Amino acid sequence: MKKLLATAALAVAIAAPAAAQTRPDQAKFFELYKELVETNTVVNVGSCTQAAEQIAARMKAAGFKDDQLTLFSTPEHPKDGGLVAVYPGTSKKAKPLLLLAHIDVVAAKREDWTRDPFKLVEENGYYYARGTADDKAMAAAWADTLIRFQQAGYKPKRTVKLALTCGEETTWAFNGAEWLAKNKRDLIDAEFALNEGGGGKSDGHGKVLVQSMQVGEKAVQNFRLETSNPGGHSSIPVPENAIYELADALVKIRGYDFPLELSDTTRAYFAKAGAARSDAMGKAMVTIATNPGDKGAETLLNTDRIYHSMLRTTCVATLLEGGHANNALPQRAAANINCRIFPGHSSEEIQKALATAIGDAKVTITMVPPVRPIAKPPALDPKVVGPAEKLVAKYFPGVPLVPTMSTGATDGIFLAAVGIPTYGVPGAWGDPDGNGVHGLNERIEVRSLYTGRDYLFDLVKAYAEQE
């Protein structure tokens, strides 16, 4: 998914703190994590419902009562269920905190992988299997945190809620986070939520370069471009050709750049990340944060594909179809355009912008379901960012915490749409190559998993003590 961290250029680095599975609580956590990773939760193949039930059983064994645990699914999607758990706080004034994680994973074929993708294997300091990083590490850490609270008899001021959901990895699937937001808003009500999307970036050799906190994300929307024509025999061609008309439209989209924009998050990112660099790119980053109209700075930043995407809405052709026979003029041609929409803009706005860029009424542009809500970035709230920054300084001395806007997408967009600001938290880190997330041989560094777990436990406690 979805977790492109625009952080590779930051220069500060430290050795990642050591963490080994030596404490009794780590061994218990590993049991939960291993069971979750080895439960196949690929849509239409595995079962998120089974995984949610297994976690609920562990929470009940730890002392959670039935009325604190809500297992949910729909008759139409019995295997795409999830779990909401509620750990009560003592304050009548403090609003709840929500912990969100998805438990579904991207498909993985055994014949393509070096190891069985649904058997957790430890090799050379890494855990390998589908979901070891995305997103079962976070799901296991959240569930483990509440189990530890229960076993310790901890009494937080805030109520802490947990929502484990299915459907994040598959656009057309039943989405548990969206369903909860629309149908069980009171159950998941919270002042703010913690989610995936943040985290650390290492140099691939054991040094953490930066930690990030996702404060906002783009909205994903697909559009179908289509052209049609009566067609005819290919031996007597005419200029009005559906494939040519579609191709002309695609060339115009390729050449169109949406206007540069900054949010509070991206402005803070470019200022802070740019100040950490001593090259021309760093200077351009600082410049654009203070003067978005500087064309020289924009031109240089646009040479970096991540920065280019962070500065605007982007749309790109991803699928193509056309024609019906080798010896016939095409009667129809179509393409899918995948857009990542900058926060604050609707899908309808982008549809109109594409139509203007193409400038050909013969090209129809339709939104492909599902239609995502408008992305609403949360505030750079010191009440949220402050504790995360303080704990980054504790766990990763000298490493900056940088606010980022994800150019990908998470289920946080559904919570934001119903008034629950959602933040992607720091903690565990990944390597520059992406750790095989969504690809082959997905992995997470063992130290990253256990250190990230400890970081998240402390972070939840910090928020739980707030009034």
Side-chain angles (χ1 to χ4, degrees):
M1 49 132 333
K2 76 194 145 209
K3 301 179 186 74
L4 291 174
L5 301 178
T7 54
L10 291 173
V12 180
I14 63 162
Q21 186 191 323
T22 56
R23 307 192 317 249
D25 64 287
Q26 290 176 326
K28 286 292 184 182
F29 165 73
F30 179 74
E31 290 176 9
L32 186 160
Y33 174 68
K34 184 175 187 293
E35 180 181 58
L36 180 58
V37 168
E38 294 188 345
T39 301
N40 189 329
T41 53
V42 175
V43 67
N44 287 349
V45 176
S47 175
C48 285
T49 300
Q50 178 188 346
E53 289 171 347
Q54 289 168 176
I55 292 174
R58 288 181 178 273
M59 298 185 81
K60 191 170 182 179
F64 277 75
K65 297 180 173 60
D66 288 341
D67 62 0
Q68 293 177 262
L69 303 170
T70 301
L71 288 160
F72 66 92
S73 63
T74 66
E76 300 81 11
H77 303 278
K79 291 187 177 182
D80 298 333
L83 169 68
V84 176
V86 179
Y87 191 83
T90 59
S91 173
K92 294 182 180 180
K93 185 172 66 172
K95 289 195 67 176
L97 167 69
L98 176 64
L99 313 177
L100 176 68
H102 68 86
I103 54 176
D104 61 312
V105 294
V106 172
K109 294 182 179 180
R110 177 64 186 93
E111 60 269 27
D112 296 335
W113 281 54
T114 303
R115 310 158 193 82
D116 186 335
F118 296 102
K119 293 293 181 184
L120 189 65
V121 174
E122 182 179 355
E123 287 183 13
N124 301 319
Y126 287 86
Y127 288 135
Y128 286 85
R130 173 60 86 219
T132 47
D134 186 16
D135 184 34
K136 290 181 174 179
M138 177 165 282
W142 290 151
D144 170 75
T145 292
L146 293 193
I147 287 172
R148 291 166 71 187
F149 283 0
Q150 178 68 38
Q151 291 174 333
Y154 173 58
K155 297 187 182 300
K157 292 177 181 177
R158 286 186 193 271
T159 291
V160 182
K161 300 180 178 182
L162 166 68
L164 301 179
T165 62
C166 200
E168 196 272 350
E169 296 290 13
T170 309
T171 302
W172 47 262
F174 168 79
N175 186 289
E178 182 180 22
W179 186 85
L180 287 170
K182 290 180 177 179
N183 298 281
K184 298 289 183 180
R185 174 65 176 79
D186 290 345
L187 181 62
I188 61 170
D189 181 53
E191 183 174 354
F192 60 92
L194 308 182
N195 187 28
E196 65 172 340
K201 179 79 82 174
S202 81
D203 64 353
H205 302 286
K207 290 184 177 181
V208 177
L209 302 172
V210 67
Q211 284 284 350
S212 70
M213 188 165 205
Q214 180 181 310
V215 188
E217 62 183 75
K218 287 183 168 182
V220 180
Q221 185 60 56
N222 290 293
F223 296 89
R224 180 178 174 86
L225 268 57
E226 193 166 352
T227 55
S228 59
N229 194 280
H233 203 289
S234 63
S235 66
I236 46 174
V238 293
E240 293 76 23
N241 182 300
I243 289 178
Y244 294 160
E245 290 167 353
L246 178 67
D248 289 341
L250 294 177
V251 168
K252 289 177 181 177
I253 289 177
R254 181 182 66 179
Y256 178 70
D257 243 359
F258 282 82
L260 181 147
E261 298 183 72
L262 289 174
S263 65
D264 289 345
T265 299
T266 56
R267 185 176 288 106
Y269 169 79
F270 281 109
K272 191 169 185 177
R277 301 177 59 145
S278 57
D279 57 1
M281 187 67 79
K283 183 178 179 181
M285 293 167 74
V286 173
T287 299
I288 212 71
T290 56
N291 181 14
D294 190 304
K295 294 302 180 183
E298 179 184 356
T299 298
L300 181 55
L301 290 170
N302 284 345
T303 63
D304 184 295
R305 58 191 294 193
I306 294 176
Y307 298 158
H308 175 267
S309 181
M310 288 182 70
L311 287 168
R312 58 183 45 79
T313 292
T314 61
C315 293
V316 62
T318 56
L319 295 171
L320 190 64
E321 60 185 77
H324 60 283
N326 288 341
N327 57 355
L329 299 176
Q331 296 171 354
R332 193 173 303 276
N336 186 80
I337 303 298
N338 180 264
C339 294
R340 306 294 173 130
I341 303 173
F342 199 88
H345 297 286
S346 68
S347 297
E348 290 79 7
E349 285 182 72
I350 304 308
Q351 185 179 31
K352 290 178 182 177
L354 290 174
T356 300
I358 292 168
D360 184 350
K362 296 190 295 295
V363 181
T364 64
I365 307 172
T366 55
M367 281 184 271
V368 178
V371 177
R372 293 266 182 154
I374 296 174
K376 298 178 181 179
L380 278 167
D381 188 348
K383 189 176 184 179
V384 179
V385 178
E389 198 163 38
K390 184 176 180 180
L391 284 169
V392 165
K394 172 186 173 182
Y395 278 87
F396 308 95
V399 168
L401 175 66
V402 180
T404 62
M405 178 193 71
S406 173
T407 56
T410 75
D411 280 339
I413 195 169
F414 299 116
L415 301 186
V418 296
I420 304 175
T422 304
Y423 299 82
V425 292
W429 60 86
D431 295 337
D433 66 359
N435 291 71
V437 170
H438 286 208
L440 296 178
N441 305 313
E442 183 177 346
R443 72 188 192 277
I444 187 171
E445 190 175 346
V446 174
R447 294 187 305 165
S448 173
L449 177 68
Y450 291 112
T451 302
R453 171 194 178 239
D454 286 343
Y455 177 94
L456 292 178
F457 181 82
D458 285 351
L459 186 65
V460 173
K461 285 196 75 171
Y463 293 137
E465 289 302 314
Q466 292 175 335
E467 285 285 1

